[in-house]
Amino acid sequence: MPVRVDITPPPPANSKQPGVTKSLLYNGSKFQGFQKSKGNSYEVEVVLQHVDEENSYLCGYLQINGLTDEYPRLKTFFDGEIISQKYPFLTRKWDADEDVDRKHWSKFSLFSQYAKTFNSDTFNYKALAETGLRFYAVEGTFSGT
């Protein structure tokens, strides 16, 4: 019985070749989904404008549809920090302390394996990066469109 074989080779490890992506995070990538808030669900779209994994940075636009009558399409620019040795889980900004950060990150089920050690001085961010998981802390500014 014939078996389908995928002969497309994976991208080279640690490649810096332009146009070769190793993750879903790249300049121009789009994500669509829903954001729930106070019992309502809103359609959202995120478009990444710039991704620099080496410097743990990304930015882009978040569009929310139907949030208000005044702005049926609300677009927000955001700067993001990819959680890493440079930007740890404990943000120490945006009026967040360890309890606030723990509460925020605990909303993501994949964080549960890091909940007890995320504020440790010996947390292994290299091992986190090798899992392919990415966590982001973002800050945005409003612009209505």
Side-chain angles (χ1 to χ4, degrees):
M1 184 170 214
V3 176
R4 182 172 178 210
V5 177
D6 185 2
I7 58 171
T8 307
N14 303 317
S15 172
K16 303 236 188 259
Q17 181 179 355
V20 175
T21 62
K22 297 178 294 208
S23 77
L24 296 174
L25 302 178
Y26 55 88
N27 301 348
S29 60
K30 289 184 182 183
F31 302 91
Q32 294 178 317
F34 294 89
Q35 178 175 330
K36 293 181 181 180
S37 176
K38 299 180 183 175
N40 295 315
S41 182
Y42 304 99
E43 184 182 338
V44 297
E45 179 181 82
V46 173
V47 179
L48 299 179
Q49 296 296 306
H50 180 71
V51 177
D52 182 351
E53 289 200 61
E54 205 169 284
N55 290 301
S56 300
Y57 174 81
L58 53 74
C59 66
Y61 292 95
L62 166 71
Q63 180 175 296
I64 303 174
N65 297 321
L67 185 63
T68 68
D69 291 334
E70 185 178 3
Y71 296 102
R73 283 186 10 196
L74 203 114
K75 192 176 279 190
T76 301
F77 175 81
F78 65 87
D79 279 302
E81 299 169 348
I82 300 172
I83 299 302
S84 62
Q85 188 72 42
K86 184 175 183 176
Y87 299 112
F89 280 112
L90 190 60
T91 58
R92 294 184 173 92
K93 55 173 92 166
W94 304 307
D95 297 324
D97 58 17
E98 183 175 351
D99 290 336
V100 169
D101 280 334
R102 184 184 313 278
K103 184 177 178 183
H104 168 77
W105 293 118
S106 293
K107 292 178 182 180
F108 304 95
S109 61
L110 292 174
F111 176 75
S112 64
Q113 60 191 309
Y114 307 109
K116 292 180 181 176
T117 60
F118 84 100
N119 191 27
S120 168
D121 289 337
T122 59
F123 187 87
N124 190 343
Y125 287 98
K126 184 178 180 182
L128 174 66
E130 289 172 357
T131 68
L133 292 176
R134 298 293 185 267
F135 294 89
Y136 312 93
V138 299
E139 181 175 39
T141 53
F142 167 75
S143 91
T145 59

